């Protein structure tokens, strides 16, 4: 199912002050693939995702999304490419004073208002909510939802524009095991049905082993592992074997 490169890191370096977070990191994610990124806390996993949507710029190297170097884009060029990227960040909560439905309508109105009627937008929002099992919750406020439902609503918002690329930061954090597997199942469903390329930062090894076509392991600024789960099980790097080991979960 893999095709053209969707994301390419070429010799990407990023420091904050004296701290080198990424040191000449290179990897490629192809169309339709699911990449899971593992690593200890503070190893640059969230920074890696932020570089992919141009929220951060590399100090050197390039970050290609499709064929564009997103680190060189600004204004309209950046907005255009972000239209095709969905993201579900750990901290990117829903807007508390908006209903679930209005939270989903926001990106559609922002990007597609000119050629979609209010009725059409409402239909798309309802369709998307149905796909994550929240069709009955369209008029609820985020405060009325459980943790798992909030994640599903966030995922629905990230996917409502049918992005080519989905970035997800720690989807299972704060969720119990069963709820976390429900989120994994949803991600897998969308990957299969829409061939959405996905990059998922996670601590959940069980989920990663199930979802990932490829796994990347970051440590001290370096990509110490990159490959299929089977390849990383045989890595000669002890940390990589430990982080991917099923006994972690
Ligand atoms: N905007 C920022 N300004 C300064 N330091 C940052 C910024 N973003 C991340 N960092 C630092 O970069 C390192 C990696 O962060 P992050 O990617 O969030 O780690 P994680 O792998 O846990 O997601 C951490 O030391 C963090 O403090
Ligand atoms: Mg993080």
């Amino acid at each position: 199912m893999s095709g053209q490169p969707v994301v390419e890191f070429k010799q990407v370096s990023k420091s904050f002050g004296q701290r080198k977070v990424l040191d000449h990191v290179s990897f490629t994610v192809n169309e339709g693939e699911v990449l899971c990124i593992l690593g200890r806390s503070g190893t640059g996993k969230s920074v890696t995702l932020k570089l992919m949507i141009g929220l951060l710029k590399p100090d050197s190297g390039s970050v290609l999304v499709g064929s564009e170097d997103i680190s060189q884009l600004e204004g309209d060029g950046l907005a255009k490419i972000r239209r095709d990227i969905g993201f579900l960040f750990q901290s990117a909560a829903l807007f508390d004073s908006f209903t679930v439905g209005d939270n989903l309508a926001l990106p559609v109105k922002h990007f597609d208002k000119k050629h979609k009627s209010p009725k059409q937008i409402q239909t798309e929002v309802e369709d998307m909510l149905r796909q994550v099992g929240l069709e009955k919750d369209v008029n609820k406020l985020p405060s009325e939802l459980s943790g798992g439902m909030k994640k599903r609503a966030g995922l629905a918002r990230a996917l409502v524009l049918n992005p080519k690329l989905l970035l997800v930061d720690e989807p299972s954090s704060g969720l119990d095991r069963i709820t976390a597997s429900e989120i994994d199942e949803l991600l897998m469903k969308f990957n299969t049905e829409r061939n959405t390329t996905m990059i998922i930062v996670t601590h959940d090894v069980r989920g990663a082993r199930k979802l990932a076509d490829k796994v990347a392991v970051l440590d001290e600024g370096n990509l110490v592992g990159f490959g299929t789960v089977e390849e990383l099980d045989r890595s000669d790097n002890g940390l990589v074997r430990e982080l991917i080991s099923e006994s972690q979960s």
Side-chain angles (χ1 to χ4, degrees):
M1 284 257 272
S2 66
Q4 298 292 311
V6 172
V7 176
E8 270 182 281
F9 268 46
K10 290 186 173 170
Q11 300 291 326
V12 172
S13 294
K14 180 71 186 172
S15 297
F16 295 104
Q18 295 297 305
R19 192 177 155 81
K20 195 155 218 174
V21 176
L22 299 177
D23 188 6
H24 295 90
V25 168
S26 301
F27 63 88
T28 301
V29 187
N30 294 316
E31 193 179 351
E33 282 183 341
V34 177
L35 174 74
C36 287
I37 304 180
L38 302 178
R40 295 182 281 211
S41 288
T43 48
K45 303 182 298 297
S46 297
V47 165
T48 300
L49 292 188
K50 286 174 186 165
L51 286 163
M52 290 175 190
I53 45 168
L55 279 177
L56 291 171
K57 304 263 181 211
D59 301 329
S60 61
S62 51
V63 177
L64 302 181
V65 179
S67 50
E68 304 251 32
D69 187 346
I70 197 162
S71 58
Q72 303 291 324
L73 295 177
E74 286 176 29
D76 286 350
L78 188 57
K80 188 164 172 286
I81 207 158
R82 281 187 181 157
R83 161 73 181 72
D84 290 327
I85 307 175
F87 56 94
L88 175 55
F89 280 171
Q90 212 179 339
S91 57
L94 302 162
F95 292 101
D96 287 334
S97 56
F98 285 28
T99 65
V100 170
D102 287 343
N103 265 281
L104 262 74
L106 277 177
V108 187
K109 285 180 180 161
H110 179 73
F111 284 106
D112 292 353
K113 199 177 179 180
K114 284 193 198 110
H115 48 272
K116 282 180 186 162
S117 67
K119 180 77 202 147
Q120 206 175 349
I121 293 174
Q122 194 192 338
T123 307
E124 285 183 17
V125 164
E126 285 169 2
D127 282 349
M128 192 63 231
L129 284 174
R130 192 168 308 115
Q131 296 194 52
V132 299
L134 291 177
E135 65 275 16
K136 294 201 186 76
D137 306 291
V138 58
N139 293 318
K140 285 190 181 152
L141 289 170
S143 58
E144 299 174 81
L145 305 181
S146 69
M149 288 161 88
K150 278 184 196 157
K151 285 277 173 183
R152 280 190 274 148
L155 187 61
R157 188 176 61 183
L159 287 169
V160 70
L161 291 167
N162 199 17
K164 295 191 179 89
L165 174 63
L166 176 71
L167 309 177
V168 189
D169 204 349
E170 312 234 2
S172 54
S173 71
L175 301 181
D176 60 74
R177 158 67 26 219
I178 291 169
T179 312
S181 354
E182 284 168 5
I183 301 293
D184 291 344
E185 297 291 334
L186 272 177
L187 290 168
M188 222 151 22
K189 179 182 94 152
F190 288 115
N191 174 250
T192 308
E193 286 177 1
R194 305 182 178 196
N195 205 32
T196 313
T197 308
M198 297 185 176
I199 302 178
I200 304 167
V201 168
T202 185
H203 279 111
D204 174 18
V205 183
R206 206 187 310 196
R209 294 187 71 94
K210 211 162 46 179
L211 280 170
D213 295 302
K214 302 265 177 65
V215 175
V217 182
L218 286 171
D219 192 48
E220 296 184 350
N222 299 303
L223 190 63
V224 292
F226 189 86
T228 63
V229 168
E230 294 72 27
E231 283 163 350
L232 296 197
D233 279 336
R234 296 192 301 264
S235 168
D236 47 21
N237 182 304
L239 176 74
V240 170
R241 288 198 312 274
E242 187 188 322
L243 285 177
I244 193 74
S245 154
E246 271 170 304
S247 61
Q248 286 271 308
S249 49

